[in-house]
Structure formats: C-alpha cells, structure tokens
Amino acid sequence: QVQLVESGGGLVQAGGSLRLSCAPSGTIFSANAMRWYRQAPGKQRELVAGITRGGSTNYADSVKGRFTISRDNAKNTVYLQMNSLKPEDTAVYSCNADLTDVRFGTVKNSWGQGTQVTVSS
C-alpha cells in the first residue's frame, strides 16, 4: 500500500512559520498533482493548496499571501511553507497526491497520515 509520509508539524506562536514536507515512501511511484488539506476540530476538511507536476499552483483564499506550496520532482517531495501563522490555521494537515506506479503506469490517489499544526495566540 502506498504511503505518503509527512513531517514538519508542531506548535508555533501566532506570527511564526512552519514548513511541512511530504513524499511517498519507496521509489516506485512518481508524483503527479500534489495537495495539502487541513481539518480543524468540528470543521470540514478543506483544500489549502495544490501544485501540478509542472508547477502550477492554487490556494485557498484564507492562506493566499501567507502560504507557499512548492515541490522537488527529483525527490518526489511537496512542501508547504506557512508564514504569518494565525490561531485559525490550527488543524491537522494532510498530504494528498496522485501517484503513478512507474512499473505499470497505473495512477492511485493517496493520503498521508496527517500532521498536527497548532498556532497559539
């Protein structure tokens, strides 16, 4: 089973920064579109940012100008740089990606386990 492995969550004060990383475990998968979602307690999961393999990006209005999604295709890794963090950014952040199995050419949508981001006021 494909697994996306995330890192970089934690506790930070308002106004601070964090950088999340995500990559598939193993080397038989090539990442196509990659995305970050978040879910706060009592709220629905929302798309935070997405990036295509070619580098086109999209962001939720609530994070535009503060968050930056980027990727390293050679490392199959996606990053989320989060600046000027606010308490309302507190949530579990999960990575999602469309992964191509390079052995068979099949595509599978996969999720990471999630990483907690807590912003204190």
Side-chain angles (χ1 to χ4, degrees), residues 11 20-21 91 94 108:
L11 173 64
L20 306 182
S21 301
S94 298
K108 178 181 174 63

Side-chain angles (χ1 to χ4, degrees), residues 41-104:
K43 294 188 177 181
Q44 288 190 328
R45 184 170 60 195
E46 64 170 342
L47 176 64
V48 177
I51 186 168
T52 67
R53 187 168 180 83
S56 296
T57 60
N58 62 283
Y59 296 92
D61 288 342
S62 58
V63 306
K64 283 181 181 177
R66 300 188 298 122
F67 291 10
T68 301
I69 189 170
S70 61
R71 63 188 292 163
D72 183 335
N73 288 336
K75 297 181 179 179
N76 255 348
T77 300
V78 64
Y79 306 96
L80 186 67
Q81 178 67 43
M82 304 184 292
N83 299 329
S84 302
L85 282 161
K86 305 175 181 180
E88 51 264 43
D89 294 318
T90 296
V92 174
Y93 285 70
S94 298
C95 177
N96 173 267
D98 299 324
L99 301 176
T100 297
D101 187 324
V102 298
R103 300 169 299 175
F104 310 116

